[in-house]
Amino acid sequence: MCLVLIIRICLLPLFFSQMRATQRMQVLQPQIQRIQRKYAARKDPRSKEAMQREIMALQQRHNANPLGSCLLSLIQAPILCSLFYTLQSLPASAAGNAEPLSGIDRVMAGDIESSSIFGVRIADSFGTVVSPQSHVVIGVAVALMCLMLFAMQWLLIHRNTPKDAMDSPQFRTQKLTAFVFPAIYVVSGGTLPFGVLLYWLTNNLWNFGQTLCQLRWFPAPGSEAGERKAERDHERENRRRAASGLPSLEEERAAAAREEAHVRREREKSVASRNRRQRKNVQLAKR
């Protein structure tokens, strides 16, 4: 669990970079969809290549990387795999049936394997424990993992999706993933060592917190979270203006509208006066 905290704190700069990249991709989605509709009726390879070139050129012009949102998962994957392999190899190393893992000798492997949390050894899985209490602890850990993942995906899908994209086939596919991945967790959670479950659970809790931060500070434009952020920014700006003795945004817009109406009326009066003079000059010329 501390390993997760250390890794995710080190990855915070990458997280903020990922959020900015995701926002840029979300802003470009309407333009990408227009390009895709442009080539929707063309099925030949040349048209598909032209569509991909236009989309890539658009992304390059706006410095948007579609793979930017995958970096955090890609960086953590080797760590998770290494932890899984280490915890799985501990019983054999402690029993002397396998070679020591790097600096973990037989004695250290035994000490690590015998350490437990809530009565469950970190190298044990759901299939290797025998006590009902251990089964309950592992089951609760898997349930919390699934709950955090489902809640995170539900928030991203329903709160951070632009409203004009909710009728697209991609949105319906995203809604299915909110149920598919927790189901995969249930199946895989029974075979993973308890230490890996703790790592995964802590990681999901961190991801859930990051999702709440994303919805508050980096929402997608046009989404429900984006509208709420716009309202908060509006209220914050009005409070700042009130503290500085400045007019509110509404008062400023009203004053700008009055000024624009005044300028328009003056322009209309000037045009009407010019037209009257022209008609008068025409009448005098006729006489």
Side-chain angles (χ1 to χ4, degrees):
M1 295 169 77
C2 292
L3 178 65
V4 173
L5 297 178
I6 293 171
I7 293 172
R8 298 312 294 265
I9 290 173
C10 293
L11 293 178
L12 276 177
L14 185 59
F15 165 71
F16 291 114
S17 176
Q18 172 185 313
M19 290 300 100
R20 288 191 287 269
T22 302
Q23 276 191 319
R24 286 193 290 267
M25 286 299 301
Q26 290 165 341
V27 170
L28 293 180
Q29 279 306 308
Q31 300 180 55
I32 293 176
Q33 290 172 0
R34 281 197 294 270
I35 295 175
Q36 291 171 339
R37 287 193 296 268
K38 174 182 173 182
Y39 291 93
R42 308 178 191 178
K43 304 299 182 182
D44 58 289
R46 183 174 298 178
S47 297
K48 292 182 179 180
E49 290 178 5
M51 181 184 70
Q52 292 299 327
R53 283 197 301 268
E54 286 193 34
I55 292 176
M56 291 177 63
L58 176 66
Q59 293 170 348
Q60 289 174 357
R61 284 199 304 270
H62 293 82
N63 194 25
N65 183 6
L67 299 179
S69 58
C70 304
L71 289 177
L72 287 177
S73 300
L74 293 175
I75 291 176
Q76 293 182 86
I79 301 172
L80 185 61
C81 292
S82 300
L83 182 63
F84 173 77
Y85 176 76
T86 301
L87 292 177
Q88 263 204 334
S89 304
L90 283 178
S93 298
N97 298 326
E99 293 294 328
L101 294 172
S102 185
I104 302 178
D105 56 16
R106 180 177 179 180
V107 176
M108 186 180 297
D111 292 339
I112 298 174
E113 185 201 12
S114 62
S115 62
S116 63
I117 299 177
F118 304 116
V120 182
R121 294 185 303 175
I122 61 172
D124 282 340
S125 63
F126 192 86
T128 60
V129 295
V130 293
S131 67
Q133 179 184 353
S134 299
H135 284 110
V136 170
V137 172
I138 295 177
V140 169
V142 174
L144 287 176
M145 284 167 47
C146 297
L147 179 62
M148 289 295 101
L149 180 62
F150 177 80
M152 178 182 66
Q153 291 186 330
W154 190 92
L155 287 173
L156 289 175
I157 292 171
H158 293 274
R159 295 286 186 268
N160 203 43
T161 301
K163 294 182 178 179
D164 57 357
M166 288 189 172
D167 297 327
S168 64
Q170 292 85 354
F171 179 72
R172 290 190 288 271
T173 303
Q174 286 178 340
K175 289 203 300 186
L176 289 177
T177 62
F179 299 94
V180 172
F181 284 106
I184 294 175
Y185 270 22
V186 172
V187 175
S188 61
T191 61
L192 295 174
F194 187 55
V196 175
L197 293 181
L198 287 178
Y199 178 94
W200 216 337
L201 172 59
T202 311
N203 194 62
N204 281 6
L205 288 171
W206 182 281
N207 285 336
F208 182 73
Q210 283 192 163
T211 299
L212 296 179
C213 295
Q214 178 182 353
L215 294 177
R216 184 168 183 84
W217 290 300
F218 303 99
S223 64
E224 181 179 335
E227 293 176 353
R228 292 181 179 179
K229 183 178 185 301
E231 293 175 1
R232 291 194 302 271
D233 293 343
H234 184 89
E235 295 174 358
R236 187 182 305 111
E237 177 63 16
N238 277 342
R239 289 195 297 269
R240 186 192 68 79
R241 288 168 172 259
S244 303
L246 299 173
S248 65
L249 291 172
E250 291 79 9
E251 292 171 344
E252 188 177 82
R253 281 197 292 266
R258 288 194 298 269
E259 180 65 23
E260 183 179 352
H262 176 71
V263 171
R264 186 171 58 251
R265 286 194 299 268
E266 291 297 325
R267 188 184 305 114
E268 291 172 353
K269 288 179 181 179
S270 176
V271 171
S273 177
R274 186 171 62 252
N275 289 339
R276 284 194 301 269
R277 288 196 302 270
Q278 289 176 351
R279 287 196 299 269
K280 187 176 180 180
N281 291 335
V282 171
Q283 291 173 357
L284 289 175
K286 288 180 179 181
R287 292 177 186 176

